[in-house]
Amino acid sequence: MKHLFIIDPIRLIKPTKDSSAALMQAAQRASIDIWVCLDSDLQALGNQASVTAQKAIPEPWITLNDPQNYLLKEFDCIWMRKDPPVDEAFLYATHLLEVAERNGVLVLNKPSSLRAWNEKLGALRFSHLMSPTIVASRVKELTLFAKTHGEVVIKPLGGKGGQGVIRISSSEPGLQALIELVTSQEQMPVMMQKYLTEVENGDKRILLVNGKPLGAINRRPKPGDFRSNLALGGTPEATDLSNQELEICECLAPSLIKEGLFFVGIDVIGGMLSEINVTSPTGIREVEGLMKVQLADQVIQSLLKTFF
């Protein structure tokens, strides 16, 4: 069996922390041959998509053969693991991957769903599970929402890893000026949510595989910050899932399975859904280290059982 991983440049990947590295190594342990490439290595000639890729031995990290050209239909599975931002290059890559899909190749996550499920806006499908939320670009509507809820967070729709997320009180004299800034003078929509004080105790990253929660960690903010993202200095902790969190996973599962979102990371704060991460979910290494489970191997076994 042959798997292709579309990833960021190898030099940027830290194998002791990176979920893509964990998945590649688990796939190798399952006797799957691994190739790697960048999204810019994809191409199509007519209705045949191809790639310039390198065969890899990911464990120990990493031995690469010389790049060669392959038809995408030569691979049994293609993992789209390019990190955000979801820019034009990312979107065009998903279109090229759909050519491979039409030739019978399994692509994870499903390219059309990668386009449709913005990691902030995708959660609106389940708004009844979320804290009060508005997405808008108009200062008037955003200001009214902030005054209604007192303290809010503002999130750029294309952000990642907590970057650009702002917490502000409606009593701040600079509220309207800040909203003008983050919306580029009412030209760019942002997400605004009621601030949940529970985030001070952390938020949970829950990893769902084919709709089932296989692992989770709590991420606690560093002192002086409300953002708990690991990339911003948050501390991972072992955790269990509450009945409420399990119910959230159960509610999401049918839609995730239907939409071809096989490997997903959701964020939950105080029992409320915050985000649904579909592009390149992280957290495998932290779950494995804290919860003492072989999560990456479980992901690969679920893949083989589900599709092959």
Side-chain angles (χ1 to χ4, degrees):
M1 186 171 289
K2 300 168 65 172
H3 285 202
L4 173 67
F5 283 77
I6 303 172
I7 56 176
D8 289 299
I10 289 291
R11 69 180 185 278
L12 301 179
I13 292 180
K14 298 177 181 179
T16 59
K17 294 184 176 296
D18 193 275
S19 292
S20 295
L23 290 169
M24 285 190 282
Q25 291 175 344
Q28 178 183 288
R29 290 193 290 271
S31 300
I32 296 171
D33 292 330
I34 307 300
W35 277 257
V36 298
C37 72
L38 306 177
D39 58 350
S40 58
D41 292 320
L42 298 171
Q43 56 188 317
L45 181 60
N47 67 347
Q48 293 294 324
S50 61
V51 64
T52 302
Q54 294 173 277
K55 189 173 183 180
I57 301 174
E59 193 170 29
W61 190 258
I62 185 171
T63 302
L64 297 173
N65 289 354
D66 291 335
Q68 297 186 43
N69 292 326
Y70 303 90
L71 293 174
L72 290 186
K73 66 182 182 182
E74 295 180 54
F75 297 97
D76 299 286
C77 179
I78 300 174
W79 294 81
M80 180 50 162
R81 292 284 304 173
K82 171 71 175 66
D83 279 347
V86 179
D87 54 15
E88 283 188 281
F90 187 103
L91 294 175
Y92 291 144
T94 66
H95 286 289
L96 290 172
L97 289 172
E98 284 185 308
V99 179
E101 273 192 320
R102 292 194 290 271
N103 286 318
V105 181
L106 175 66
V107 182
L108 302 175
N109 285 322
K110 188 174 180 63
S112 60
S113 294
L114 290 176
R115 295 194 298 271
W117 287 63
N118 173 276
E119 299 192 339
K120 306 295 189 299
L121 297 176
L124 295 178
R125 292 167 169 82
F126 310 95
S127 60
H128 62 289
L129 303 175
M130 303 172 67
S131 67
T133 299
I134 184 175
V135 177
S137 55
R138 299 301 183 195
V139 172
K140 179 180 178 180
E141 283 79 6
L142 290 165
T143 301
L144 177 60
F145 182 92
K147 290 185 179 301
T148 299
H149 295 287
E151 194 164 7
V152 296
V153 292
I154 304 173
K155 301 178 179 180
L157 297 181
K160 65 170 185 174
Q163 296 173 359
V165 178
I166 300 167
R167 171 185 171 187
I168 189 168
S169 171
S170 61
S171 62
E172 292 288 341
L175 175 64
Q176 291 193 22
L178 176 64
I179 294 174
E180 291 171 359
L181 177 65
V182 298
T183 62
S184 299
Q185 303 298 319
E186 300 190 324
Q187 297 303 303
M188 184 68 69
V190 295
M191 174 176 280
M192 181 180 284
Q193 293 179 305
K194 178 183 178 181
Y195 175 72
L196 298 175
T197 57
E198 293 90 341
V199 76
E200 295 166 12
N201 296 318
D203 78 0
K204 290 189 182 181
R205 164 58 57 90
I206 306 172
L207 295 175
L208 289 86
V209 178
N210 201 34
K212 296 180 180 180
L214 290 191
I217 54 170
N218 188 56
R219 302 175 298 182
R220 190 176 293 273
K222 69 180 180 181
D225 201 343
F226 71 97
R227 298 171 299 174
S228 56
N229 307 77
L230 300 182
L232 297 176
T235 302
E237 301 173 337
T239 190
D240 295 315
L241 297 184
S242 68
N243 289 335
Q244 187 175 8
E245 290 158 348
L246 291 171
E247 288 173 3
I248 290 174
C249 296
E250 185 176 352
C251 184
L252 268 57
S255 295
L256 298 179
I257 294 170
K258 180 181 177 181
E259 298 288 337
L261 295 168
F262 175 77
F263 184 55
V264 171
I266 66 171
D267 297 335
V268 177
I269 302 171
M272 307 195 82
L273 178 66
S274 175
E275 295 183 14
I276 303 175
N277 300 276
V278 303
T279 51
S280 182
T282 61
I284 288 180
R285 293 298 198 196
E286 289 78 14
V287 171
E288 289 182 334
L290 291 167
M291 307 302 291
K292 308 304 179 186
V293 296
Q294 293 180 309
L295 181 59
D297 296 89
Q298 292 179 22
V299 174
I300 297 301
Q301 291 306 313
S302 177
L303 168 68
L304 296 176
K305 180 179 179 181
T306 303
F307 297 107
F308 298 100

